[in-house]
Amino acid sequence: VLLLLSLALVAPGFFATQCNLTGKWINDLGSNMTIEAVSRKGDFAGSYFTAVTASNNKIQVSPLLGYLNNTDTQPVFGFTVQWNFTESVTVFTGQCFVDAEGKEVLKTMWLLRSHVDHITDDWKATRVGTNNFTRL
């Protein structure tokens, strides 16, 4: 019993192998995201408050909708954010990991599509990037 207790104190990451998407997250740029309960089918909703924008409009909390493969302890997922303050949509895809210290990390890649007025401007309408999220 003492051995198990000491292992729990020394290596908390050893026992925390299930990654849970539900909750509040912050990314490496300071953006905040809240993911509500994930259904049995794997779909979820939430909200996103970005810390960065190319728009001159006031940043607003925006809705997100997503889906995850909840059959794995470190599931893959994807979600879309429909920005309330600009004519853009961003799709994220990633995986929820538990690191060696037992902390959950969301490793993501995203594509942001902005509205352009003409097809000749299509070249500048899509951006791509990565973000890492940790729990707030």
Side-chain angles (χ1 to χ4, degrees):
V1 173
L2 289 175
L3 177 62
L4 288 176
L5 287 174
S6 64
L7 280 174
L9 292 173
V10 173
F14 181 76
F15 295 102
T17 58
Q18 179 67 41
C19 199
N20 182 2
L21 221 54
T22 302
K24 296 181 184 286
W25 300 88
I26 188 168
N27 72 16
D28 41 338
L29 298 175
S31 298
N32 293 297
M33 170 175 68
T34 300
I35 297 177
E36 305 299 333
V38 178
S39 78
R40 289 182 188 219
K41 292 181 183 178
D43 54 320
F44 59 88
S47 60
Y48 198 105
F49 187 78
T50 186
V52 294
T53 182
S55 168
N56 292 326
N57 300 334
K58 182 181 177 186
I59 296 173
Q60 300 175 23
V61 175
S62 298
L64 70 82
L65 293 172
Y67 190 82
L68 86 111
N69 173 351
N70 59 1
T71 60
D72 191 9
T73 58
Q74 299 189 120
V76 295
F77 60 88
F79 62 87
T80 301
V81 178
Q82 188 273 319
W83 302 108
N84 282 338
F85 60 94
T86 185
E87 293 183 45
S88 299
V89 173
T90 302
V91 293
F92 289 79
T93 187
Q95 187 168 358
C96 187
F97 291 101
V98 178
D99 69 14
E101 287 80 42
K103 294 180 183 177
E104 294 162 305
V105 177
L106 306 181
K107 302 283 284 181
T108 67
M109 176 172 255
W110 52 265
L111 288 172
L112 179 142
R113 177 65 188 210
S114 297
H115 171 83
V116 290
D117 291 325
H118 195 271
I119 195 167
T120 57
D121 292 327
D122 184 61
W123 66 271
K124 64 180 179 179
T126 303
R127 298 178 184 172
V128 62
T130 60
N131 285 119
N132 296 323
F133 292 82
T134 55
R135 285 217 182 263
L136 264 176

